[in-house]
Amino acid sequence: MTLIKSISGIRGTVGGPAGENLTPPDIVKFTTAYVRLIARRNPGKKLTIVVGRDARLSGELVADLVEGTLLACGADVIDVGLCTTPGTEMAVITHGAQGGIIITASHNPRQWNALKLLDGAGEFLDAADGARVLAMAEEADFAYPSVDGIGHVAARLDFNGEHIRRVLALPLVDAAAVRARRFKVVVDAVNSVGGIVMPKLLRELGCEVVELNCEPTGEFAHNPEPLPENLTAISEAIVREKADLGLVVDPDVDRLAFVSEDGSMFVEEYTLVAVADYVLSACPGDTVSNLSSSRALRDVTERRGGGYHASAVGEVNVVAKMKEVGAVIGGEGNGGVIYPELHYGRDALVGTALFLTYLARTGLTMTALRATYPAYYAAKKRIELTPAIDVDKVLQEIKAHYAGERLNDIDGVKIDFAECWVHLRKSNTEPIVRVYTEAKSMAEAEALADRFIGEIGAICGL
């Protein structure tokens, strides 16, 4: 069964039995439920919903089904076509729409697709509204409007150029400084919508661009998650082309990873760290990342005189915490930069422009810039448990055992030691505990993870 229903939307593999995979009846069912929720949030108002998609093979099929369902439910549609996730989010705000649907499975392989659901602020639905959509999808009492009440396509437009324009207009984006450096950049856009927007953004910034996997065919040249093991081709290209750096985005362009001039990984965790360092140098303030993100952000924030705050894992949780504390920059350690000056969403375009501005102004190479940050190493492991084991109880025992340490229990249990940390979270879909650690060497991170795997195993009698 590969249909995953969550508070943030629905994703699955395309085709197969209805209710078990992402099929036309499932797409219609959940789109209808979403429109019903948005209608309840906007009583008496004619709804307008923005629809955008990445370049997946199934994208056009799913988009047509979503659009038709929205029209049948009485909503008007603004179709932004091939558009990034952050671009679609911004289009909702720009056009005063009541919501949006992004058709993308993010970093999942080619056979997957998904409906990501936005509210009228261009942000992902919160947990309560996401749960309401899932519940409403199981109700059978919805009557579609008659022919006089159906919606229409209000516009079909390209928002990518507007997105780039707004990024370049930000006060902290110094296009002149970047142009003066004349960076040579290799771009790997994994054959999706990033291949349309990232080279254009870079050329607007005066960069020489070497395109790698930039044709938006949906036939991903490699596993689309921007992890080191998937990025050997760009590392080789950077060295071969004598480029200054490389950048990689995922299929919907909300995650951003950099590669240094010697082909080494800048490391995805440090995308946010470097961007935050620059933003804080100009606008002192607080930062936010999720509990599983690198401690390096806290270090940089405190060095710049700000306060660091942690949120539960998930973009919607990071955004909520950023609004609560008034953070000037935030995001997630998976390369997701959230810059409120533009909008509250992970955005690889704004991350790139801010990063290149900082790199240009410092005059440093990528490796030299990376060396200015504390070196941390992360290990990510998991423990398989039997369904009979009470994972919450296990985590409570760990929490009690380490009560004298610095603890955070808003999302599982995170224990901050003086030189390292461990974050233990249970999966919402299977009986496993995720064990994430960070330390000052990979050996220490691995040892810390193995230590807690052993302790949890002892508690469970494994």
Side-chain angles (χ1 to χ4, degrees):
M1 183 172 179
T2 48
L3 185 67
I4 301 173
K5 296 171 280 188
S6 71
I7 58 171
S8 60
I10 177 170
R11 62 189 171 99
T13 53
V14 172
E20 296 182 14
N21 300 75
L22 190 63
T23 69
D26 297 297
I27 294 165
V28 171
K29 170 182 170 181
F30 284 95
T31 301
T32 299
Y34 167 73
V35 177
R36 293 181 66 191
L37 175 83
I38 298 300
R40 288 187 182 181
R41 294 287 178 271
N42 297 273
K45 182 177 289 187
K46 178 66 173 177
L47 301 183
T48 299
I49 307 295
V50 174
V51 178
R53 67 179 179 91
D54 69 15
R56 288 173 182 273
L57 297 172
S58 60
E60 187 173 2
L61 178 157
V62 176
D64 286 347
L65 286 164
V66 166
E67 182 178 295
T69 304
L70 291 172
L71 300 179
C73 289
D76 291 343
V77 172
I78 295 176
D79 176 12
V80 293
L82 285 172
C83 192
T84 66
T85 282
T88 306
E89 292 168 344
M90 290 176 63
V92 171
I93 304 166
T94 300
H95 293 283
Q98 285 69 56
I101 297 180
I102 309 167
I103 299 162
T104 175
S106 192
H107 60 270
N108 285 76
R110 66 196 286 278
Q111 68 270 27
W112 289 79
N113 215 327
L115 310 180
K116 293 189 175 182
L117 310 176
L118 304 175
D119 61 18
E123 298 166 17
F124 292 118
L125 299 186
D126 63 22
D129 278 347
R132 289 186 186 100
V133 169
L134 298 183
M136 293 167 81
E138 303 307 319
E139 298 173 358
D141 62 346
F142 180 69
Y144 292 88
S146 66
V147 67
D148 294 320
I150 63 175
H152 71 283
V153 177
R156 297 192 190 279
L157 52 89
D158 181 341
F159 196 79
N160 296 315
E162 178 65 12
H163 188 178
I164 291 171
R165 187 192 69 76
R166 293 189 183 194
V167 167
L168 295 177
L170 290 168
L172 289 191
V173 174
D174 188 344
V178 178
R179 291 182 185 119
R181 281 290 298 270
R182 301 178 63 85
F183 290 119
K184 186 175 185 179
V185 185
V186 180
V187 179
D188 183 348
V190 72
N191 305 107
S192 191
V193 69
I196 298 172
V197 295
M198 298 310 293
K200 183 176 180 181
L201 170 67
L202 290 166
R203 291 186 175 109
E204 290 274 354
L205 287 166
C207 299
E208 179 183 349
V209 180
V210 178
E211 297 186 13
L212 187 66
N213 307 320
C214 283
E215 305 81 8
T217 62
E219 290 283 8
F220 303 148
H222 55 77
N223 184 309
E225 188 163 13
L227 300 176
E229 58 266 29
N230 302 326
L231 305 181
T232 55
I234 191 172
S235 293
E236 294 167 358
I238 289 167
V239 175
R240 182 176 64 250
E241 298 284 344
K242 296 182 173 57
D244 296 293
L245 70 150
L247 67 85
V248 186
V249 292
D250 63 341
D252 67 327
V253 202
D254 62 355
R255 290 174 61 176
L256 173 65
F258 290 105
V259 187
S260 297
E261 77 280 0
D262 61 354
S264 65
M265 297 297 115
F266 194 81
V267 181
E268 197 178 28
E269 286 280 350
Y270 284 81
T271 298
L272 174 59
V273 173
V275 172
D277 192 23
Y278 169 53
V279 170
L280 292 171
S281 72
C283 303
D286 288 1
T287 65
V288 174
S289 66
N290 68 46
L291 285 171
S292 288
S293 298
S294 177
R295 182 180 284 186
L297 180 62
R298 187 193 75 180
D299 293 350
V300 165
T301 303
E302 292 177 349
R303 187 175 71 194
R304 293 288 188 182
Y308 167 76
H309 307 269
S311 78
V313 173
E315 180 176 328
V316 66
N317 297 314
V318 176
V319 168
K321 178 59 74 171
M322 289 179 69
K323 291 179 177 180
E324 176 189 330
V325 302
V328 297
I329 185 76
E332 297 187 288
N334 60 8
V337 174
I338 302 174
Y339 185 48
E341 187 75 12
L342 185 64
H343 71 119
Y344 277 105
R346 296 182 302 178
D347 190 328
L349 282 78
V350 76
T352 295
L354 292 170
F355 183 94
L356 289 179
T357 295
Y358 195 38
L359 189 65
R361 286 184 171 180
T362 62
L364 298 174
T365 63
M366 292 287 287
T367 50
L369 178 62
R370 180 67 174 78
T372 66
Y373 299 120
Y376 292 112
Y377 298 84
K380 297 183 178 183
K381 300 189 177 185
R382 56 192 275 169
I383 310 171
E384 304 282 349
L385 303 175
T386 67
I389 293 174
D390 185 338
V391 179
D392 288 322
K393 183 178 179 181
V394 170
L395 294 181
Q396 281 298 117
E397 290 194 35
I398 290 288
K399 180 181 171 183
H401 184 74
Y402 288 94
E405 302 290 346
R406 185 177 175 184
L407 298 175
N408 189 319
D409 62 357
I410 61 173
D411 186 4
V413 178
K414 182 173 183 178
I415 308 168
D416 265 303
F417 300 104
E419 300 293 324
C420 56
W421 57 258
V422 59
H423 186 201
L424 310 171
R425 297 176 64 233
K426 73 170 184 175
S427 168
N428 293 322
T429 58
E430 51 187 328
I432 67 170
V433 173
R434 303 190 189 280
V435 182
Y436 290 177
T437 61
E438 186 177 68
K440 292 191 173 181
S441 74
M442 183 55 75
E444 291 174 298
E446 295 277 357
L448 183 63
D450 290 340
R451 169 183 148 192
F452 274 86
I453 289 172
E455 290 186 17
I456 291 173
I459 293 172
C460 298
L462 301 177

